[in-house]
Amino acid sequence: MVKLSPSIFGADFGRLNEQIKAVEDCNVEMLHIDVMDGNYVPNIAFGPDQIAMLRPHTDLFFDVHMMVTEPDRYIERIVKAGAQMITVHAEATTHLHRSLMLIKSFGVKCGVVLNPATPPDVLKYVLDDIDMVLVMTVNPGGGGGAFNPTMIEKVREIKEMIGDRDIDIQVDGGVNADNVKSLVDAGANVIVAGSFAFTGDVAKNLDDLRKAADA
Ligand code: DX5
Ligand code: ZN
């Protein structure tokens, strides 16, 4: 059984509350929240204050994806805003292990994000410290990008590295009902979808995505 984590970045912000209710009604397991600093990625989105504003409106698990240079500067504020899982990009922090320990010190789950060109080797010595690996299936920084099929093999490689450890593999970027199965077959079990989830009928889209993933 996969877990779905719709990416709020893909929502219609003029109807944010309604869109959050729509994903809640689909019994999704998480809400994916992208934090972008305009430095690590060429775009700006959601900071701790906006996450804190969302928190009273939903009980969904907040899966926060930090696309931020030196994320340690914001981790405590993001935890206090209501994050339950925080993922950081391997190359965005000078000391990856230290960042992961900082996240865990607040009692929230932690994960490492790999860009399409980032090899999985960087995970080798932190595998016993993490709850999730996020494999980017597009270059980070925007929604609606084209899925990179080369990442299917990368997911497979990471699944093998993980062995019997209890670590989720999340995929993010260009994921839809047509390509999700190939990712799940390779080992992904947490599915992020932005534009696919929020374009048109949210309930139908998420139903299609879950059916395709669990087929
Ligand atoms: C991209 C973000 C994604 C984004 C995905 O940098 O990390 O979470 O919202 O959007 P889609 O699914 O449209 O590629
Ligand atoms: Zn994301």
Side-chain angles (χ1 to χ4, degrees), residues 7 32 34 65 67 172 192:
S7 178
H32 185 85
D34 290 306
H65 172 192
M67 285 161 272
D172 180 12
V192 175

Side-chain angles (χ1 to χ4, degrees), residues 87-103:
T87 56
V88 292
H89 279 254
E91 51 276 275
T93 167
T94 307
H95 298 281
L96 177 59
H97 184 265
R98 177 174 286 150
S99 300
L100 296 169
M101 291 302 112
L102 181 62
I103 297 168

Side-chain angles (χ1 to χ4, degrees), residues 96-97 100 104 112 120-133 157-163 165-168:
L96 177 59
H97 184 265
L100 296 169
K104 281 168 69 140
V112 178
D121 315 26
V122 71
L123 298 170
K124 187 170 171 191
Y125 297 102
V126 295
L127 275 181
D128 292 320
D129 300 306
I130 59 177
D131 301 290
M132 190 164 80
V133 177
E157 201 178 318
I158 291 167
K159 177 75 181 163
E160 211 172 293
M161 283 176 81
I162 287 174
R165 294 177 184 86
D166 186 17
I167 301 175
D168 287 326

